[in-house]
Amino acid sequence: MTFIHTLILSIFLSAPGATADDPLKTIPKDDARRIAASLPGVVLGPESSVPKITNAADWLPLESTVFVFDHPTNKDKTLKHVLTKIDRAPGSKLDAGIKGWAIELPSGTTRFLKQDGENGLVAATDVSKPNAFIIRLSPPEPIVHASTTAKNEVSEEIKISICDLDSPTDVSYSGQVKCTWTDLGGWKVKVPHGTYDTRLIKISYDGSIGPASVSAWKYMFLAKGVGPVAFTDSRDISAFIFYNNDTDHAGVLRSLKRASDG
């Protein structure tokens, strides 16, 4: 190979978007494009040594925790997730003494988590405080799933009822979406808090809610023993009424503080 040919090949391989330098080249192009747009420079590449999810709580530890995320491109914007233990798990008997867990999301939504046997962590109820909605999901939306299928994929046809806080029995919006939770394998990522080996989770939605047709998706990188270290979107499902897939709601982990840290 001549010097000129070598130089041309070197320039091609170092050009932005060149396949040889694309850390996401092993996943479908649409997934890679969305992740690259929302989380530029975060993904270092695939990591085959990352174990599969067999216990959901290992990948989203149920401990009182404050997660602080930076926006990937707007350094003046931060997002906070607050995981909190609550006195009663929704759906449990009043005198059963079963504690529950809830996540306060950056959008102002409180998401109530349930442990669904050996399947994982799911969300059956959200309360969107900014929109004064109660969102009920039947069956619950999978959040962190311990999938045993060959495709590491779980799909649910979810019926959605969105009610006004003042009239919780009156449905303001309703609909149904096919919610598909997919484990896209092990990935190494770099965020402000450090470099992590993670599982990449995709949750996609297809259907309709009220007047809105839904075709949307979220991606989340989970680190074992930590929880989410990067995500493209964490809004609740009622946002689909006004949904626009963009990069305004992405986050990369800046810090976390657990209650046990003092």
Side-chain angles (χ1 to χ4, degrees), residues 195-261:
T195 300
Y196 289 93
D197 292 341
T198 67
R199 299 298 295 191
L200 170 56
I201 303 306
K202 174 185 178 182
I203 304 178
S204 62
Y205 309 84
D206 286 288
S208 63
I209 306 173
S213 177
V214 173
S215 181
W217 45 84
K218 301 176 184 177
Y219 300 86
M220 176 173 56
F221 291 89
L222 292 173
K224 191 173 185 179
V226 178
V229 298
F231 54 82
T232 61
D233 198 337
S234 64
R235 291 176 294 174
D236 68 83
I237 208 165
S238 71
F240 294 147
I241 299 173
F242 322 101
Y243 201 88
N244 180 30
N245 280 312
D246 54 30
T247 59
D248 288 344
H249 304 277
V252 288
L253 186 64
R254 163 64 61 184
S255 66
L256 77 160
K257 182 176 178 60
R258 303 202 189 278
S260 57
D261 295 338

Side-chain angles (χ1 to χ4, degrees), residues 23-249:
L24 290 160
K25 64 183 179 182
T26 58
I27 63 173
K29 290 182 179 179
D30 284 346
D31 295 325
R33 173 179 53 80
R34 294 166 189 150
I35 294 168
S38 294
L39 299 169
V42 169
V43 181
L44 301 180
E47 180 52 68
S48 60
S49 67
V50 182
K52 292 183 178 182
I53 297 174
T54 56
N55 179 11
D58 287 343
W59 296 83
L60 182 57
L62 295 178
E63 302 178 48
S64 295
T65 308
V66 177
F67 299 87
V68 178
F69 299 90
D70 289 341
H71 190 276
T73 57
N74 183 353
K75 300 306 179 184
D76 295 327
K77 183 176 182 180
T78 60
L79 305 95
K80 186 182 291 186
H81 288 188
V82 181
L83 178 60
T84 306
K85 195 172 189 178
I86 57 177
D87 288 340
R88 185 178 71 86
S92 65
K93 293 182 178 180
L94 292 178
D95 58 354
I98 300 174
K99 304 291 186 179
W101 291 91
I103 298 179
E104 296 283 340
L105 298 175
S107 61
T109 291
T110 300
R111 163 155 282 190
F112 294 91
L113 298 179
K114 296 177 69 174
Q115 298 186 67
D116 179 22
E118 296 182 356
N119 289 330
L121 297 172
V122 300
T125 307
D126 298 336
V127 176
S128 174
K129 294 187 289 293
N131 294 312
F133 284 146
I134 300 173
I135 303 111
R136 297 187 177 94
L137 310 173
S138 179
E141 177 183 347
I143 305 300
V144 183
H145 209 281
S147 175
T148 57
T149 66
K151 293 177 65 178
N152 287 323
E153 184 174 286
V154 177
S155 289
E156 298 280 8
E157 291 287 345
I158 297 178
K159 293 182 179 179
I160 301 163
S161 298
I162 300 176
C163 306
D164 188 274
L165 277 174
D166 274 353
S167 304
T169 60
D170 295 332
V171 178
S172 302
Y173 301 98
S174 64
Q176 183 167 317
V177 299
K178 182 179 181 181
C179 177
T180 302
W181 182 100
T182 308
D183 183 337
L184 293 176
W187 296 84
K188 188 177 290 291
V189 300
K190 186 176 183 179
V191 296
H193 197 253
T195 300
Y196 289 93
D197 292 341
T198 67
R199 299 298 295 191
L200 170 56
I201 303 306
K202 174 185 178 182
I203 304 178
S204 62
Y205 309 84
D206 286 288
S208 63
I209 306 173
S213 177
V214 173
S215 181
W217 45 84
K218 301 176 184 177
Y219 300 86
M220 176 173 56
F221 291 89
L222 292 173
K224 191 173 185 179
V226 178
V229 298
F231 54 82
T232 61
D233 198 337
S234 64
R235 291 176 294 174
D236 68 83
I237 208 165
S238 71
F240 294 147
I241 299 173
F242 322 101
Y243 201 88
N244 180 30
N245 280 312
D246 54 30
T247 59
D248 288 344
H249 304 277

